[in-house]
Amino acid sequence: MKRPIEIFTGLVFAATLAAAEPPTLRFDTTDFGPAGSTAPRIEPWREVRIDPLYGGHWVVTGDLDGDGAADIVSAQNVLGDGIHYTSSAVAQRLDGSILWRWGNPSAGQKEVGYDVALQIYDWDGDGNNEVILLTEGFLVELDGATGQMRRRFAIPKRATDCLLFANLSGGPRATDVIVKDRYRRIWAYNKKGEKLWGGDWKPGGYPTAHQVRPIDLDGDGKHELMAGYVMLNSNGTIRWTYQSKVMDQSRGHLDCCRVLQRGKRPEDFRLLLTCCGDENIACVDGNGKILWESPGHHFESIQLGTIFPDLPGPHILVDIAHRPPGENPLWVMDSEGNVRGKMMLQNSRIHGLVDWTGDGYEEILLSSARGIFDYRGVRIGTFNTGSPGSVMLLGDMTGDGISDVTILTQDPAVVHVFKNRHGKSTAPLGCGVNHTLY
């Protein structure tokens, strides 16, 4: 017969083992495409063939002419010697008609595997959108309705990899612009084209991210900038540097940063980071303190939403990229970094979350698989695009304030708009500013 102390010790040990066991998977599924699926087909609400001369596979959406309807801007870009810049663009209505064309259509390429420096934004705050792009050595602002050049100003020749808008001055809205080269340098300019800061440096000694992420951590009305493995203050100085406990940070760079939780103080924030080449996903607070890390895979892009109806969110949707076709996982994690669902896909790279059924929870969207998946990892719908999708955008395209799904297919380039008939009316018209593939 065991003595009481032995029984107590055994109970404690068993409880410790139980506590250490990771939560069980909610699903572990495989989907290699819609062939053979009995899920209903979803037909496009609109299909727009991209202008074959000026258009390319970078696509952003928004109201360009103030008529209350979404329009499409697509672009080509030059890629060479580590330099990207926008070479041509075309604006089209949803009926396919051309609003305007810009640039040199013979200079660039249509294909993209990265962000192209072109965004739609109401830069001057007058209620009308402009199109702002980076071409060789210049930032160019075009009138959204006509495509006429409103102005341009010089930037460093290599600083044309991508652009975004941020509030670095503490004004009522974001009017400052961030530009960068591929992985080394970042510059900030105000709306007048005056350089605020930037230069020849690797922030914190690490490469830059693909797209800088603006976040107001301390509530002063100015954006801090997650610029790579470093958080910059609004004046460009280093606030803190992420130092992993589990990986060698010399091999890669920051792919993606998302805000998992906001707060009144930096320590109340929760930021998610994916580490390209360094094979890690991490959660840190607004001071850079590591809360958890999960190494071992090439995590790339993150979406946040409430996927499981009975599990407190937000939940984390993240792809594992750079794997052979058919060996590309997509994971759902909880906010503590536990894996709660796995899908094996032909290509998991471009994904999203949206409430498609109107139940208040997000479904999983996959561009290449053309599918909608529920909280069990089961396909519940197939977008009828005819071929695998590439770029996917979320945002209201039909004018009802509900986030629709826009998918680009290639060869020829066609934009397919799928009307969301059941979601809630909370989405802006178009994809919004600072759109990114990451």
Side-chain angles (χ1 to χ4, degrees):
M1 180 177 179
K2 291 185 178 180
R3 291 176 293 179
I5 185 66
E6 292 175 329
I7 296 173
F8 176 76
T9 302
L11 290 173
V12 171
F13 180 69
T16 301
L17 282 178
E21 291 178 358
T24 57
L25 287 176
R26 300 294 186 93
F27 63 82
D28 190 352
T29 59
T30 298
D31 188 291
F32 288 153
S37 171
T38 60
R41 300 241 168 194
I42 304 164
E43 298 300 324
W45 175 74
R46 292 284 189 278
E47 290 183 302
V48 179
R49 180 166 179 173
I50 295 299
D51 177 60
L53 189 59
Y54 281 74
H57 298 167
W58 175 257
V59 176
V60 288
T61 56
D63 183 3
L64 296 179
D65 52 10
D67 65 354
D71 303 297
I72 299 166
V73 180
S74 65
Q76 296 187 53
N77 77 115
V78 168
L79 169 62
D81 190 29
I83 299 177
H84 298 171
Y85 62 85
T86 308
S87 54
S88 69
V90 58
Q92 296 177 247
R93 300 182 181 91
L94 290 180
D95 63 4
S97 60
I98 304 295
L99 278 170
W100 48 260
R101 296 180 175 96
W102 173 90
N104 179 1
S106 64
Q109 64 178 28
K110 298 183 183 301
E111 296 76 17
V112 296
Y114 42 80
D115 289 352
V116 173
L118 182 149
Q119 299 285 347
I120 297 173
Y121 185 48
D122 179 11
W123 197 359
D124 56 13
D126 67 352
N128 299 307
N129 280 321
E130 289 80 50
V131 173
I132 302 94
L133 59 88
L134 305 182
T135 191
E136 189 175 19
F138 292 92
L139 179 148
V140 177
E141 178 186 5
L142 305 177
D143 181 85
T146 67
Q148 294 297 310
M149 187 172 69
R150 300 181 61 172
R151 66 195 179 106
R152 72 175 190 169
F153 59 78
I155 57 175
K157 183 178 179 180
R158 300 184 73 92
T160 52
D161 183 65
C162 80
L163 83 158
L164 65 99
F165 293 89
N167 190 339
L168 306 180
S169 58
R173 56 194 306 275
T175 58
D176 304 305
V177 63
I178 307 293
V179 301
K180 59 182 283 292
D181 64 12
R182 188 59 176 156
Y183 288 121
R184 292 186 62 242
R185 297 169 293 180
I186 298 172
W187 292 261
Y189 293 85
N190 64 20
K191 191 175 183 301
K192 298 178 181 179
E194 298 167 336
K195 178 182 170 181
L196 300 176
W197 48 262
D200 191 9
W201 59 302
K202 279 188 178 181
Y206 296 108
T208 64
H210 290 285
Q211 190 190 72
V212 178
R213 174 65 56 171
I215 310 163
D216 183 3
L217 291 171
D218 50 19
D220 66 351
K222 299 179 182 181
H223 282 135
E224 284 71 48
L225 303 168
M226 196 72 197
Y229 288 147
V230 300
M231 182 69 74
L232 302 181
N233 292 303
S234 57
N235 63 3
T237 59
I238 294 175
R239 189 180 184 97
W240 51 260
T241 302
Y242 163 58
Q243 296 286 354
S244 173
K245 298 178 181 179
V246 299
M247 71 179 188
D248 177 5
Q249 288 178 243
S250 67
R251 299 179 301 173
H253 58 267
L254 182 73
D255 251 346
C256 172
C257 172
R258 293 291 181 271
V259 181
L260 179 67
Q261 174 182 302
R262 297 183 182 273
K264 295 182 178 180
R265 306 171 302 168
E267 53 265 35
D268 298 327
F269 276 74
R270 299 291 181 266
L271 310 178
L272 294 171
L273 314 175
T274 58
C275 309
C276 173
D278 296 325
E279 299 198 337
N280 191 27
I281 182 172
C283 181
V284 303
D285 72 7
N287 291 319
K289 177 183 176 182
I290 295 172
L291 303 174
W292 55 261
E293 298 184 284
S294 181
H297 299 283
H298 187 113
F299 300 99
E300 195 126 342
S301 296
I302 292 172
Q303 315 294 337
L304 297 173
T306 304
I307 299 170
F308 300 109
D310 62 334
L311 184 66
H315 307 133
I316 303 161
L317 183 70
V318 60
D319 61 292
I320 296 172
H322 296 274
R323 304 276 296 268
E327 300 178 18
N328 288 266
L330 186 71
W331 283 6
V332 179
M333 307 173 79
D334 61 29
S335 58
E336 301 301 318
N338 301 301
V339 182
R340 308 307 293 264
K342 294 181 177 181
M343 299 175 65
M344 185 61 73
L345 302 154
Q346 192 75 10
N347 182 348
S348 62
R349 179 65 193 91
I350 303 296
H351 47 81
L353 290 172
V354 73
D355 180 7
W356 186 262
T357 62
D359 61 1
Y361 303 101
E362 279 79 31
E363 278 70 50
I364 297 168
L365 310 176
L366 283 159
S367 178
S368 180
R370 297 104 81 189
I372 303 178
F373 300 81
D374 66 10
Y375 64 93
R376 303 166 299 166
V378 174
R379 181 186 288 262
I380 61 171
T382 295
F383 295 117
N384 191 10
T385 59
S387 61
S390 55
V391 173
M392 180 170 62
L393 303 95
L394 302 179
D396 176 24
M397 296 293 287
T398 65
D400 60 5
I402 299 173
S403 184
D404 303 301
V405 180
T406 301
I407 296 176
L408 174 76
T409 54
Q410 303 174 4
D411 302 324
V414 177
V415 167
H416 310 261
V417 179
F418 296 90
K419 181 177 175 61
N420 184 350
R421 302 182 186 279
H422 302 291
K424 294 183 180 179
S425 181
T426 58
L429 194 62
C431 66
V433 72
N434 296 343
H435 177 67
T436 178
L437 296 180
Y438 296 91

